[in-house]
Amino acid sequence: MAASSIPPSTTIVRRSLLLSTASSFPASSFPPSNILPQKHIHGRLLLASSSAAAVPSDSKPAAKKETVYFDGGAHYGDLLANLVLGLTILWLPLTLAAVSRAFNLRYRFTNLRVTVISGLTGEDRSDFSYKVIKDVQVVPRFIGEWGDIIITLRDGTKVDLRSVPKFREIAKYCLSMADQPAVVKESGAKGF
């Protein structure tokens, strides 16, 4: 490192020099204000100045912390039922869709937003706030173990979440976070 690239308020000390001075002086002989944060850079230590290490007391107010209500993928029963029915040639396309949902789809409901992550590497991501939710409908599947959630947004977009476990509780949570009456519209079972 050239001396011109180092800011005047920092000092580079070799590791051997730092170790020799640390072993010869007890830690109690240093006042607490002289303790500086350390960073390893290519076998050397960069000691920051005390002015750079000081944290301003008037930092930004803490943002609202995001807590996760539900984080998971499609219900395992959907995959199991479709694998059993996939033994027939007729059901094979639906089985492939269930396998794809099981491995490539993830739902996350937090206190701030709904996130749907899909795609082979998770590159397709949809986030929306509860404030834009207009309506929530549920469709139970199998014997009500899992179901689909259809969320209608204020701009008319319909978000279809397939094979969601605990779908009734999640739909009620979405409506309660959207500040709407917690009356979930439930359609009859339409199949697997």
Side-chain angles (χ1 to χ4, degrees), residues 25-26 40 45 61 80 139 151 189-190 192:
F25 296 106
H40 291 284
L45 291 176
L80 225 99
V139 179
I151 300 174
K190 294 182 179 179
F192 286 99

Side-chain angles (χ1 to χ4, degrees), residues 66-70 108-115 127-134 136 151-154 170-180:
E66 186 170 11
T67 57
V68 177
Y69 177 74
F70 174 80
R108 182 176 297 140
F109 296 88
T110 67
N111 62 335
L112 300 177
R113 63 182 165 203
V114 176
T115 304
D127 291 313
F128 57 90
S129 172
Y130 291 106
K131 295 175 184 174
V132 297
I133 293 177
K134 178 181 174 184
V136 177
I151 300 174
T152 307
L153 304 180
R154 292 188 193 272
I170 292 172
K172 287 178 186 173
Y173 180 76
C174 287
L175 283 175
S176 69
M177 294 302 287
D179 294 329
Q180 294 186 6

Side-chain angles (χ1 to χ4, degrees), residues 108 113 115-118 122-127:
R108 182 176 297 140
R113 63 182 165 203
T115 304
V116 181
I117 302 170
S118 61
E123 70 271 0
D124 296 333
R125 178 181 174 135
S126 301
D127 291 313

Side-chain angles (χ1 to χ4, degrees), residues 26-36:
S28 61
S29 67
F30 295 110
S33 62
N34 291 344
I35 298 173
L36 302 173

